[in-house]
Amino acid sequence: MPYWFAFVMGLVQGASEFLPISSTAHLRLAPALLGQPDPGAAFTAVVQLGTLAAVLIYYARDVFWTLPRGVLAAGYPAERRLAGQLVLATLPIVAAGLVLKPFIVGDARSLWVVASALIAVALVMIYAERATEKKSEKRTISQLGYQHALLIGCAQACALVPGVSRSGATIAIALLLGLARPEAARFSFLLSIPAIAGAGLFELGDALRAMPSLGPIVLATVVAAVSGYLSIHWLLRFLSRASLRSFAYYRLALGAVIFVLLVTHRVA
C-alpha cells in the first residue's frame, strides 16, 4: 500500500468515524475513486484503533476515573449504572459480529448495500430530529433505563453493515429515546470504545499478515487518531447548537451519487 494512500485512509477513518456519515462507507468508496484496491475489513478494523485512542484521550476522565470509581467503589450509583448500561449495550454488537462475520466482510461491503444504508439511516436521522424537537424536556444519561441502553446497543450492532454509521445509528436512537444531542453523542462515543477495541484486536492478526510492510498501517492508525480527536471535539460543539439534518442531507446526496456511479459503471 502506498504511503500517500495510507495517509488518506487514516484521515478518512478518523474524520468520519465519529461523524454520523459512516466511516466504513467512505473507506469503501475512497479506494474505488482513487484507483486503489479495497484494503478490506481487517485493515479498517485495525485503523479504527487510532480512533479508539482518540476517544480514550478525549474521555480520559470518564474512562479512567468515573466508570472505574462506579464499579470499584461504593456510593456512586450513577457511575455504576452507566458502566452496567455500557456493558449491556455492547452485547448486541458482539453477538452480531460473531454470527454475521462472513456477511460483514463479504457481501455487506457491496457499494449497493453501502448506498442503500446511507439513505435509509439518513431518513431515520431526519425523523429522529423531528421527533426530538417536539419534546420540551430532554433526558440526561443518568435518566436512561437499561432497556434504553439495550436499544442503543442494537442500533450500534446495525452499524456492522457498511453505510449505517455507528454514531449515526446510536445518536438517532438516543434522540428518539429523549436524550439531548450532546448527551446522545457522549453515550454513543463511550459505547464505541469496547466495540472498536474488540473489532480492532480481533482483526489485528489478519491485517498484519495481509500487509507486506507495517509502515502504511501504522501511519494510517496515527493519522486516524489525530483526525478522530479533532472530529469528536468539533461534533460535540456542533451538536450543542445544531441538528443532525445537515449530516442526513449529506448522506442522502452521497447515497444518490454512489447509485449513479454504480449504474454508470464508474465504480463496482
Side-chain angles (χ1 to χ4, degrees), residues 124-135:
V124 174
M125 289 165 60
I126 292 172
Y127 175 77
E129 279 293 345
R130 289 180 179 176
T132 196
E133 287 171 357
K134 296 178 181 179
K135 299 176 182 178

Side-chain angles (χ1 to χ4, degrees), residues 12 22 27 30 37 68 95 99-100 103 106 165 182 184 196 256 259 265:
V12 171
S22 176
L27 289 170
V99 173
L100 300 176
F103 172 70
S165 170
I196 294 174
F259 275 131
H265 304 291

Side-chain angles (χ1 to χ4, degrees), residues 84-93 96 124 135 139 143-160 164-179 184 187-188 191:
Q85 289 171 334
L86 292 173
V87 171
L88 178 63
T90 300
L91 297 180
I93 197 170
V124 174
K135 299 176 182 178
R139 284 195 178 110
Q143 296 172 308
L144 272 184
Y146 283 97
Q147 71 276 21
H148 300 134
L150 184 59
L151 286 173
I152 297 172
C154 290
Q156 179 176 243
C158 292
L160 289 170
V164 169
S165 170
R166 188 195 327 275
S167 61
T170 53
I171 292 175
I173 296 302
L175 291 179
L176 287 172
L177 294 173
L179 261 70
F187 190 86
S188 171
L191 181 58

Side-chain angles (χ1 to χ4, degrees), residues 255-266:
V257 168
I258 294 175
F259 275 131
V260 170
L261 292 174
L262 286 167
V263 170
T264 58
H265 304 291
R266 301 291 180 86

